[in-house]
Amino acid sequence: MQRQSLVSVSMLFGLCMLAAVGQAQARLTIEVTGGVEGAQPIAIVPFGDVDGARPGVDVANVISADLTRSGRFRAMARREMLALPHRQEDVDFREWQLLGMNNLLIGEVRPAEGGGYDLSWRLFDVFSGDQLAARSLSSTERGLRHAAHRIADQVYEILTGERGVFATRLAYVTSRDRSVDSRVILRVSDSDGYNPQTIVDSAEPILSPAWSPDGRRLAYVSFENRQPSIYIQELATGRRQRVASYEGINGSPAFSPDGRRLAMTLSKDGSPDVYLMDLASGNLTQLTDHYAIDTEPAWSPDGRHLVFTSDRGGRPQIYRVAASGGPAERLTYEGEYNAAASYSPDGQYLVMVTRVGGRFRIALTDAQGGSRRLLSNGALDESPSFAPNGSMVIYASENNGRGVLSVTPIAGGAGQRLSQEVGEVREPAWSPFPR
Amino acid sequence: MSIRWQLSLSVLVLALTGCATPPPPPPAAPSADELDAMGSRPAPGIEATRERSPLDDPASPLYRKVVYFEYDAARIQPQYAGLLRAHADYIYNTPGVEVTLEGHSDERGTREYNLALGDRRSDAVKRFLMAEGVPEKRIRTLSYGEERPADPGRTERAWSENRRVELVY
């Protein structure tokens, strides 16, 4: 038995974060894929800059891009607008009716006392002339894009009944290409690809980023120094902790919904099994014990169960086990390869990788593993996870032989493709809602 | 014992007895790449004065350091038993030698499952070596899963090259 220390093996400061500041903007760009029939027409008028405000961000433009990217809305082009009102009394609803708009958003930006800005906005139903909402929020200069995303989230929720995810973030792994000498970088960006931040940059593989429930930390697997280890890194400070570095695999980290435990795969005792680590004490509990492969644990939203992949039946399938331990129950029977399952935020569904006719595709099932429905059509699709509002799934796929990320809505409709101008992107993980 | 192994042994014995005086300790064994760069003709003055490790000798069974696997399987195929026995004998008989068994998979399927598959493969080789008498403490296993392909191509041939365990000394 190897002697390994558990927690506080090392406390390092992520110098790479400083390096990221001067780095060129290698950001994700997003294109809408598939049909956008039925997208609702909305006019988002440029916000008025009042009292000498000179914001560095075109807030209305960010909101327009967010809503358009969802595929649910079609934002009117500015050059087609006949007037640019930012006060309620200047709005002529007949004009917007003639332009075929359903909704109208206007707003103002003014300097806040003590720096930053106050943003106020109003949303109207163009046909009735009713005001659907009138709200305000404040923002720093640096936080303007985030403030715009938050406005987009609220508009989206008012008009669709579903919480928006524009103010969330994405973690992903990127590299120049698939060659062995290509550096591997773990990044976090806004959901629209802006503000990419390097979390860690390595010559060795990095995989399986997982968000803490408060969105402040990422757990990930890194092979630095040719030793696979699980790290937990605080995003704001770059401070990180190596929590697992045993002989064999140290993989598949997954925070429990209360943030107190980390599920992981270790093979220190022979075969890959699922373990739970209490993060305060570093104590490990072995959750599965089988000579076959057990890996890819994912928590149910209530924290009572975990699903995981096991080939104990000969081929990889999805199993479920109580977080308190006990026997595992097989959930999937359809197909020869089902892996990497995770729950929808409401616990009703599972999304996973499934092999169909030699192709690896993303599938949705109910939480019992039944009623499989295919969500993707690629050959090597993997790493699926839900958006925090449960309406979309993000996964890694390929486009023209290059690794890209894809987003597909569960209910059908327009999807998104997220790619870098140069290089591969993979291993997406959608952050929880901001707190 | 195979004929090839016997031949290699006799080559080794000849090489050893051919040295009139014990060679000075070499500074470091050349890597496989350096050896390739030298070409097939040994550089004069090197071969004569230095004993080459059998690990770097194309005539030695130890020169081959990779075993390959079937899709989604970690069972050692019978054709690799001879190769692994040769390595087990070498490690067992050479004090101080340690080996790292790097397990790999092809890119199909999920990354973490492939990490586990690479682990199962390196573990299978480890068990084989231990059954041949190699002490556990001289073996380290490390799975890279699909992260370090030998051939980044997208063909059956590339995939079969990637489902492997490399013995790294």
Side-chain angles (χ1 to χ4, degrees), chain A residues 170-207:
Chain A
L170 300 172
Y172 56 93
V173 173
T174 179
S175 62
R176 188 189 66 228
D177 51 42
R178 282 195 291 269
S179 68
V180 177
D181 60 351
S182 185
R183 288 195 77 78
V184 183
I185 303 168
L186 174 60
R187 284 211 174 100
V188 167
S189 78
D190 295 350
S191 74
D192 62 354
Y194 280 78
N195 297 321
Q197 173 190 348
T198 295
I199 305 307
V200 62
D201 176 333
S202 173
E204 299 288 333
I206 301 170
L207 63 163

Side-chain angles (χ1 to χ4, degrees), chain B residues 105-126:
Chain B
S105 72
D106 68 34
E107 65 179 344
R108 292 173 295 172
T110 67
R111 288 176 184 273
E112 284 283 359
Y113 184 79
N114 284 337
L115 211 54
L117 195 53
D119 184 79
R120 299 302 289 149
R121 287 172 178 159
S122 55
D123 193 58
V125 174
K126 175 180 171 176

Side-chain angles (χ1 to χ4, degrees), chain A residues 115-316:
Chain A
Y117 301 98
D118 289 324
L119 291 80
S120 57
W121 56 273
R122 292 171 190 273
L123 178 67
F124 300 100
D125 180 314
V126 167
F127 291 103
S128 64
D130 290 344
Q131 179 175 287
L132 303 177
R135 297 181 190 171
S136 59
L137 72 164
S138 51
S139 169
T140 59
E141 172 72 38
R142 271 193 63 194
L144 275 171
R145 287 194 71 88
H146 187 70
H149 292 314
R150 291 184 61 177
I151 296 171
D153 278 342
Q154 293 175 43
V155 170
Y156 183 88
E157 185 166 2
I158 290 163
L159 297 179
T160 68
E162 183 176 275
R163 192 168 174 186
V165 290
F166 305 117
T168 57
R169 294 197 282 175
L170 300 172
Y172 56 93
V173 173
T174 179
S175 62
R176 188 189 66 228
D177 51 42
R178 282 195 291 269
S179 68
V180 177
D181 60 351
S182 185
R183 288 195 77 78
V184 183
I185 303 168
L186 174 60
R187 284 211 174 100
V188 167
S189 78
D190 295 350
S191 74
D192 62 354
Y194 280 78
N195 297 321
Q197 173 190 348
T198 295
I199 305 307
V200 62
D201 176 333
S202 173
E204 299 288 333
I206 301 170
L207 63 163
S208 303
W211 290 89
S212 65
D214 62 8
R216 292 185 181 145
R217 292 167 295 160
L218 272 183
Y220 57 87
V221 177
S222 174
F223 281 64
E224 291 158 53
N225 308 313
R226 299 171 65 78
Q227 165 61 40
S229 303
I230 298 173
Y231 296 86
I232 294 177
Q233 186 160 331
E234 211 173 72
L235 299 183
T237 62
R239 204 169 68 167
R240 72 174 191 173
Q241 194 176 17
R242 190 170 71 183
V243 296
S245 191
Y246 298 91
E247 163 100 22
I249 299 182
N250 297 266
S252 286
F255 283 95
S256 61
D258 65 8
R260 291 183 183 161
R261 287 185 287 178
L262 193 70
M264 62 183 71
T265 302
L266 304 173
S267 63
K268 64 188 183 67
D269 297 323
S271 63
D273 282 308
V274 176
Y275 291 75
L276 303 181
M277 177 181 280
D278 179 85
L279 288 172
S281 66
N283 289 339
L284 274 179
T285 311
Q286 187 170 353
L287 189 62
T288 71
D289 186 3
H290 200 281
Y291 57 82
I293 292 171
D294 291 345
T295 188
E296 300 177 328
W299 295 82
S300 63
D302 63 9
R304 291 170 60 188
H305 294 94
L306 293 96
V307 287
F308 62 97
T309 309
S310 178
D311 71 342
R312 59 183 64 188
R315 292 288 167 215

Side-chain angles (χ1 to χ4, degrees), chain A residues 223, chain B residues 103-106 111 114-116 118 143-148 162:
Chain A
F223 281 64
Chain B
H104 300 266
S105 72
D106 68 34
R111 288 176 184 273
N114 284 337
L115 211 54
S143 174
Y144 278 110
E146 66 179 272
E147 311 297 326
R148 285 277 183 264
N162 293 337

